[in-house]
Amino acid sequence: MEALSTPQSPFTVRVFAQRFSSTPRGARLARHLALHVLHDWDIPYRSDASETAALIIAELAANAVTHGRVPGRDFDLRLTHAPGDTQVLGVLRIEVADTRGERRPPGPGELAPPPLGSDSGHGLILVETLADRWAVLDRVSPGKTVRAELDLLY
């Protein structure tokens, strides 16, 4: 067996996963708790990355409790931080999963602007604008997951 020719740097992927009640209070708690976790992961509170993540988490959690709610079932929030290299601090993946699979939102590039004067329908447009990548995925169990990724820059 040969030794590696270049030394490997340590690589730690951080993961946070929590289930929340499908209520407005659960959505608020998800956002607040996520910001604390990000701060612990050296993504400082009120930094651009933290504020962007907060907006995305708030929108996806609000959608989960408004459009993806099934009585008696919760929604899941999962954050994953994979470190980057000398150019990028890493990638932050935000995933919000609910149990309503039949109410699948349009995916990237499929969003239609809401009617003029409408008070709703802007959320996923905000996610599409803020996230570097996003997708709507099927779950193994009933439901769907909306995933958004942010490239964390220096």
Side-chain angles (χ1 to χ4, degrees):
M1 187 177 255
E2 263 183 63
L4 295 174
S5 59
T6 58
Q8 298 292 313
S9 60
F11 189 83
T12 302
V13 175
R14 297 172 173 144
V15 177
F16 168 81
Q18 181 70 47
R19 182 167 286 159
F20 296 92
S21 65
S22 289
T23 63
R25 185 176 187 181
R28 279 192 311 277
L29 182 58
R31 182 177 56 85
H32 287 296
L33 188 54
L35 291 177
H36 285 288
V37 169
L38 295 180
H39 186 76
D40 287 344
W41 290 352
D42 299 321
I43 301 170
Y45 182 69
R46 298 190 65 89
S47 65
D48 288 344
S50 175
E51 293 289 308
T52 301
L55 287 169
I56 292 171
I57 292 164
E59 184 53 45
L60 296 182
N63 282 354
V65 303
T66 304
H67 306 293
R69 183 175 186 275
V70 174
R73 299 214 177 148
D74 300 329
F75 75 93
D76 297 319
L77 170 67
R78 182 180 180 91
L79 304 174
T80 307
H81 177 244
D85 53 27
T86 58
Q87 302 295 324
V88 179
L89 276 172
V91 174
L92 176 65
R93 178 179 286 168
I94 301 163
E95 296 175 306
V96 175
D98 63 55
T99 55
R100 179 159 276 170
E102 74 277 6
R103 294 192 71 184
R104 188 181 175 97
E110 300 172 352
L111 297 174
L116 286 175
S118 175
D119 290 337
S120 63
H122 299 81
L124 286 178
I125 292 173
L126 180 69
V127 171
E128 187 163 69
T129 301
L130 294 174
D132 292 297
R133 292 162 298 284
W134 76 284
V136 181
L137 309 167
D138 291 327
R139 290 176 67 187
V140 174
S141 59
K144 64 189 168 298
T145 298
V146 180
R147 173 188 292 167
E149 293 183 345
L150 296 174
D151 293 331
L152 305 174
L153 306 174
Y154 282 102

